[in-house]
Amino acid sequence: MKFGNQMSRIGLKPIKIEEGVEVGVSENCVTVSGPLGELKINLPEGISCEIENGEVLVKRDNDTKQAKSNHGTYRMIISNAIQGVKNGFERKLELVGVGYRARMEGQTLVMSLGWNHPVKIDPVEGITIEVPEETKIVIKGYDKQKVGEFAAGIREIRKPEPYKGKGIRYEGEYVRRKSSKSSVKS
């Protein structure tokens, strides 16, 4: 099997422009605007974009390793931008532990995480925070990268620990548990 001259399969797929979304292409910048907001994507050297028949085509100028890597990556970034300004993205977090609670005070997220002080977090631009239950947090936004980074930042405050499983985790995340040393007999 020869892998050397394969084209990026993801990079070759055209991106359909959703209804209500506008895509503009200048020299090395793609602007995507929709009902939820506007995103600008700067394309690296060797990658170009064209709009044909209501679809965005991402092309590369040469077959260097870097250009091949960027081809599929930037195709997905543009696809996520179109999806984001139309429907948005969300990330759900769960608080696990006795006394771990979250609530909203105006736009500020306030969490009690077992310390003697509450942790307060203000949302960044383009991000909204919801607390449907005391132990659940929903982060929403139109920029997939910002939503993911913001959720990861909140999770970083109190990562799930392996002994009791307490902490902030993504919804559905599996935390591998360890047994305590007192239960191990030699």
Side-chain angles (χ1 to χ4, degrees):
M1 220 174 185
K2 188 176 176 186
F3 294 104
N5 291 334
Q6 279 191 342
M7 296 282 286
S8 169
R9 283 183 274 184
I10 292 173
L12 288 174
K13 289 183 183 175
I15 309 161
K16 186 178 181 299
I17 299 174
E18 301 271 335
E19 196 175 314
V21 176
E22 290 182 26
V23 180
V25 179
S26 64
E27 294 172 23
N28 63 342
C29 183
V30 178
T31 307
V32 181
S33 58
L36 297 179
E38 181 178 279
L39 291 169
K40 287 187 180 183
I41 300 145
N42 292 317
L43 299 174
E45 242 179 78
I47 301 294
S48 59
C49 250
E50 292 176 3
I51 298 174
E52 289 178 11
N53 305 327
E55 294 180 329
V56 179
L57 300 171
V58 181
K59 298 181 177 181
R60 65 173 188 250
D61 299 341
N62 54 40
D63 281 346
T64 63
K65 189 172 183 179
Q66 189 63 49
K68 286 180 179 181
S69 301
N70 287 341
H71 191 202
T73 302
Y74 277 87
R75 187 256 178 223
M76 282 309 298
I77 289 171
I78 294 167
S79 175
N80 286 338
I82 290 171
Q83 202 67 33
V85 296
K86 174 80 171 157
N87 306 320
F89 292 101
E90 70 176 26
R91 202 77 165 122
K92 295 179 181 178
L93 298 168
E94 298 173 336
L95 280 70
V96 179
V98 178
Y100 285 24
R101 301 281 176 262
R103 68 182 187 281
M104 293 299 292
E105 285 181 4
Q107 293 292 315
T108 306
L109 173 67
V110 180
M111 296 183 292
S112 303
L113 299 172
W115 294 316
N116 61 358
H117 64 282
V119 178
K120 295 181 179 183
I121 299 173
D122 291 315
V124 294
E125 187 185 335
I127 298 284
T128 56
I129 305 171
E130 295 174 7
V131 182
E133 296 175 33
E134 286 185 323
T135 58
K136 298 206 184 304
I137 302 168
V138 179
I139 294 137
K140 293 182 177 181
Y142 57 86
D143 187 342
K144 189 174 188 178
Q145 184 178 349
K146 264 189 187 176
V147 170
E149 283 178 9
F150 194 78
I154 292 175
R155 183 182 179 273
E156 193 72 27
I157 294 168
R158 194 79 166 191
K159 283 185 180 174
E161 54 96 19
Y163 297 102
K164 292 183 180 175
K166 296 184 344 181
I168 303 171
R169 61 176 81 166
Y170 297 117
E171 186 180 62
E173 179 184 3
Y174 173 73
V175 177
R176 218 160 123 204
R177 302 287 294 271
K178 293 181 178 179
S179 62
S180 64
K181 290 181 179 174
S182 63
S183 65
V184 178
K185 297 201 172 24
S186 29

